[in-house]
Amino acid sequence: MSNIREVALTAGVSVATVSRALTNPEKVSEESLKKVHDAIKAVGYTPNLLARNFRAAKSFAIVVLVPDITNPFFSQVIQAIEDRAQQKGYAVLLGDTRETSKREQEYVNRVETRLADGVIQLRPQSMSSSTQKIPWVNACGCEGTPGPSIRVDNIAATKAMVGYLTSLGHRRIGVISGLKDNPHSIDRLQGYKSGLTAAGIAFEKELVAEGDFTMWSGQNAAKQFFRLKQMPTAICSMNDEMALGATQALKAGGLRVPEDVSVTGFDDIPYAKYWEPGLTTMAQPAEEIGKLAMDTLLRVIEGEELSNLELVLPTEIVIRQSTCAPPAN
Amino acid sequence: MSNIREVALTAGVSVATVSRALTNPEKVSEESLKKVHDAIKAVGYTPNLLARNFRAAKSFAIVVLVPDITNPFFSQVIQAIEDRAQQKGYAVLLGDTRETSKREQEYVNRVETRLADGVIQLRPQSMSSSTQKIPWVNACGCEGTPGPSIRVDNIAATKAMVGYLTSLGHRRIGVISGLKDNPHSIDRLQGYKSGLTAAGIAFEKELVAEGDFTMWSGQNAAKQFFRLKQMPTAICSMNDEMALGATQALKAGGLRVPEDVSVTGFDDIPYAKYWEPGLTTMAQPAEEIGKLAMDTLLRVIEGEELSNLELVLPTEIVIRQSTCAPPAN
């Protein structure tokens, strides 16, 4: 690889001028700048960006912390972040935290030590207190997640989904939650309860089955309902993956979806549409969330104080084949 | 944030000693090293890693180039790469190339300019010639992809899958390929043809339907078969997502899977198991591929010459409910 001295020689300027042209171009005459750029091209010189970034104290990379990259909802959000980051000249460092704080901290260290300029946190919680000083944005968070926060209204959305089920005539509605202390589970359970209350239905603890947002756990949760004296006529799942696992278990147990049991999801991942039966779900604007998260993080990196910013994006019920009126009897 | 002078003061050593302890610890006495480390802890000093890496000419980050992060097979491989990278102190820069060379080049530039130390290429092709000089490894590639390469034998695996279908009695076997010039499509088509030949079946062009590895395209490809005078009794899809889309279209068209048409996939993504019917598929060792790719890249970064290395990992037919003997008629 050629070096800065060759560039200077070819351009007929001093090494200092080349250096200035690369770091403080506004201090170099247009004429010299052109000479330097032509020379860079001619000799095939690649400036050492690591060195440049050291001077600029910027790495032009951001970290995305994601609880589980194999969840297709998150991979859609990440794809949108990555698109926007590319447009803005940033690379995306991927931190699959597997829900552990230790791994999260390792990535945060990269920001504190300037290997990245900021963090988009896709876990539904605030960053640990030691990291409040670094630029960060929460996306896909919950009610009360410290800002800047780009999210949907999980409570209202779940309430609306329960409202849709009660409008079909369902009165005995089960819910499959994520882990009980997960903020999404807490918000969506509150929405579920509000939906029941709005329809004059009493909350029954036995109708809550706990999963962990994976298909496997949705399958297991549905099996819990089989042990009840009376099955629910509808199951409201807190995400699509668990809903898909649940329909599988219901059908394996000899029940028809939706004729015997209606099932709903949350997210609208691509599989929801192709499932049999097609899954009725609450669509989240994954692409919009990703774009806005990146744009907001760039504003924070530039020094804007946005900790009170809370962008709540609309959700939408997508009605497919997994829901109908409850069986007559 | 505290600085190196505070550390020196607290440790009772010179600034030069602190600097040496951070960059060339082998040149510092054990006693001084301990003093420095205790002082770093005491004053809460975070060394500027960007500066450290500049000196070491290492960024401790690698780039993963992936054609489509929303494909669950790739997200499994990435998760395994990320696990291994974490263990080794590396971060993963994610480059979702969307199959465009321009985006690939932008990420490669980050390596050339030392913002990353190497590349794992998940696209089934070699890197463009200008980038042969940077450390890189191909994972999930094809026959003839320049090494180092970690892959499965796509030809033999597809041949084996067709062999399984002919062993069930199928003679009219359709294939859903990816885009025709995609190296995976080329290898797997060759395997499909070999499988037919081994069973004494002539290749028929009308039994090849082209997709692009997405569910949507699998659905479309299956619809093409409906237009034939005679439907195939089995469809061998070059990946799971297209197979899932195809079963959906077949069932929507009034055919039973597998009683009327058997369907097979390739990859064994998590959805394959939960699909209805459960998808018979050729399982790839996604986790093992990811781990070995990262380990191999680290060896290349350390200077080992491994361009002839080709690790071919075993695949396995997973038989589920989407395949059976052809209908009697």
Side-chain angles (χ1 to χ4, degrees):
Chain A
M1 197 177 280
S2 51
N3 63 34
I4 196 167
R5 266 172 294 277
E6 281 180 66
V7 174
L9 205 67
T10 308
V13 301
S14 70
V15 167
T17 301
V18 176
S19 173
R20 250 195 315 277
L22 292 171
T23 52
N24 296 300
E26 70 282 2
K27 293 189 181 163
V28 179
S29 74
E30 285 234 346
E31 193 194 354
S32 300
L33 212 52
K34 191 178 177 316
K35 279 185 195 164
V36 170
H37 284 159
D38 289 349
I40 283 173
K41 243 181 174 168
V43 307
Y45 172 65
T46 307
N48 184 326
L49 280 189
L50 200 56
R52 186 203 77 186
N53 293 342
F54 176 44
R55 284 189 293 266
K58 265 201 179 185
S59 60
F60 296 98
I62 62 132
V63 171
V64 177
L65 293 175
V66 56
D68 179 7
I69 190 193
T70 65
N71 179 314
F73 172 69
F74 289 123
S75 52
Q76 284 182 293
V77 175
I78 293 167
Q79 198 170 57
I81 291 171
E82 216 266 350
D83 269 352
R84 197 61 151 203
Q86 276 267 345
Q87 287 168 16
K88 303 285 184 178
Y90 277 75
V92 173
L93 281 150
L94 184 67
D96 186 334
T97 62
R98 307 291 175 85
E99 301 277 11
T100 75
S101 298
K102 185 172 163 288
R103 293 183 67 144
E104 176 173 316
Q105 193 54 46
E106 285 165 6
Y107 273 94
V108 166
N109 287 344
R110 295 206 160 241
V111 184
E112 288 182 335
T113 55
R114 301 211 228 141
L115 279 174
D117 301 333
V119 174
I120 296 176
Q121 163 74 291
L122 297 184
R123 301 175 72 199
Q125 53 219 55
S126 108
M127 312 271 296
S128 60
S129 61
S130 75
T131 61
Q132 295 286 351
K133 290 164 226 149
I134 63 170
W136 70 285
V137 165
N138 190 292
C140 313
C142 292
E143 190 81 19
T145 304
S149 168
I150 325 291
R151 63 178 181 90
V152 300
D153 186 334
N154 291 285
I155 300 173
T158 312
K159 183 182 175 187
M161 184 57 93
V162 172
Y164 165 66
L165 289 170
T166 58
S167 78
L168 290 174
H170 293 278
R171 305 286 298 171
R172 189 167 172 76
I173 300 169
V175 63
I176 301 179
S177 87
L179 291 174
K180 282 199 173 114
D181 55 355
N182 177 298
H184 278 135
S185 303
I186 294 167
D187 275 14
R188 292 178 191 173
L189 191 67
Q190 187 182 330
Y192 164 77
K193 288 177 179 174
S194 300
L196 293 182
T197 304
I201 302 169
F203 170 72
E204 290 180 65
K205 218 178 160 189
E206 69 170 21
L207 289 178
V208 182
E210 188 179 2
D212 65 2
F213 293 117
T214 64
M215 274 194 291
W216 178 86
S217 75
Q219 198 178 27
N220 256 19
K223 285 177 190 163
Q224 291 180 44
F225 292 126
F226 276 104
R227 288 185 219 116
L228 299 179
K229 268 195 182 161
Q230 196 193 341
M231 276 293 280
T233 63
I235 294 173
C236 172
S237 167
M238 290 191 186
N239 82 343
D240 286 350
E241 299 231 301
M242 293 194 295
L244 300 182
T247 59
Q248 217 266 4
L250 291 169
K251 293 198 286 183
L255 293 175
R256 293 164 303 165
V257 178
E259 295 84 352
D260 298 316
V261 185
S262 289
V263 176
T264 64
F266 201 110
D267 290 342
D268 198 20
I269 61 174
Y271 298 90
K273 180 178 159 191
Y274 290 92
W275 206 252
E276 182 167 305
L279 184 69
T280 295
T281 188
M282 185 61 70
Q284 293 203 64
E287 203 181 317
E288 196 60 22
I289 290 173
K291 272 186 194 160
L292 281 171
M294 185 67 208
D295 286 347
T296 306
L297 180 59
L298 288 175
R299 291 171 62 190
V300 176
I301 289 171
E302 292 302 321
E304 275 192 71
E305 162 51 38
L306 297 173
S307 58
N308 290 321
L309 183 73
E310 199 169 15
L311 299 174
V312 179
L313 305 185
T315 53
E316 189 187 0
I317 297 188
V318 180
I319 296 173
R320 297 202 179 93
Q321 293 78 44
S322 67
T323 42
C324 69
N329 68 326
Chain B
M1 199 178 279
S2 52
N3 63 34
I4 196 168
R5 269 172 292 278
E6 280 180 66
V7 174
L9 204 67
T10 309
V13 300
S14 70
V15 167
T17 302
V18 176
S19 173
R20 250 194 316 276
L22 292 172
T23 52
N24 296 300
E26 70 283 0
K27 292 189 181 164
V28 179
S29 73
E30 285 235 346
E31 193 194 355
S32 298
L33 211 53
K34 190 179 177 315
K35 277 185 195 164
V36 170
H37 285 159
D38 288 349
I40 282 173
K41 242 181 174 167
V43 307
Y45 172 65
T46 306
N48 184 327
L49 281 189
L50 201 56
R52 187 202 76 184
N53 294 342
F54 176 44
R55 283 188 294 266
K58 265 200 177 184
S59 61
F60 296 97
I62 61 133
V63 171
V64 177
L65 294 176
V66 56
D68 178 8
I69 192 193
T70 65
N71 179 315
F73 172 69
F74 289 123
S75 52
Q76 283 182 294
V77 175
I78 294 168
Q79 198 171 55
I81 291 172
E82 216 265 352
D83 268 352
R84 197 61 150 203
Q86 276 266 346
Q87 286 168 18
K88 304 285 185 180
Y90 276 75
V92 173
L93 281 151
L94 183 67
D96 187 333
T97 61
R98 306 291 174 84
E99 301 275 11
T100 75
S101 298
K102 186 172 164 288
R103 293 183 67 145
E104 177 173 318
Q105 193 54 46
E106 285 165 5
Y107 273 95
V108 166
N109 287 345
R110 295 209 160 239
V111 184
E112 288 181 334
T113 55
R114 301 212 227 139
L115 278 174
D117 301 333
V119 173
I120 295 176
Q121 162 73 292
L122 297 184
R123 301 175 74 199
Q125 53 220 54
S126 106
M127 312 270 297
S128 60
S129 61
S130 74
T131 62
Q132 295 287 349
K133 289 167 227 148
I134 64 170
W136 70 284
V137 165
N138 190 290
C140 313
C142 291
E143 191 82 18
T145 305
S149 168
I150 326 291
R151 63 177 181 90
V152 299
D153 186 334
N154 291 285
I155 300 172
T158 312
K159 184 182 175 187
M161 185 56 96
V162 172
Y164 165 66
L165 290 169
T166 58
S167 78
L168 290 174
H170 292 277
R171 306 283 300 167
R172 189 167 171 77
I173 301 169
V175 62
I176 302 179
S177 86
L179 291 175
K180 281 199 174 116
D181 55 355
N182 178 298
H184 277 134
S185 304
I186 294 167
D187 276 14
R188 293 179 190 173
L189 192 67
Q190 187 182 329
Y192 164 77
K193 288 178 178 174
S194 301
L196 294 182
T197 304
I201 302 167
F203 170 73
E204 291 179 66
K205 218 177 160 189
E206 69 169 22
L207 289 178
V208 182
E210 187 179 2
D212 65 1
F213 293 118
T214 63
M215 274 192 292
W216 177 86
S217 75
Q219 198 178 28
N220 258 18
K223 285 176 190 163
Q224 291 181 43
F225 292 125
F226 277 105
R227 287 185 220 117
L228 299 179
K229 268 195 182 163
Q230 197 193 341
M231 276 293 280
T233 62
I235 294 173
C236 173
S237 167
M238 290 192 187
N239 82 344
D240 285 350
E241 299 231 301
M242 293 194 295
L244 300 182
T247 59
Q248 218 265 4
L250 291 168
K251 294 198 286 184
L255 292 176
R256 293 164 303 164
V257 178
E259 295 84 351
D260 298 317
V261 185
S262 289
V263 176
T264 64
F266 201 110
D267 290 343
D268 197 21
I269 60 174
Y271 298 90
K273 180 178 159 190
Y274 290 93
W275 205 253
E276 182 168 307
L279 184 68
T280 295
T281 188
M282 186 61 71
Q284 293 203 64
E287 204 181 316
E288 197 59 22
I289 291 173
K291 273 185 193 162
L292 281 170
M294 186 66 209
D295 288 346
T296 305
L297 181 59
L298 288 175
R299 291 171 61 191
V300 176
I301 290 170
E302 292 303 320
E304 275 193 70
E305 163 48 39
L306 297 173
S307 58
N308 290 321
L309 184 73
E310 199 171 16
L311 299 174
V312 180
L313 304 185
T315 53
E316 190 187 0
I317 297 188
V318 179
I319 296 173
R320 296 202 179 93
Q321 293 78 45
S322 68
T323 43
C324 68
N329 70 327

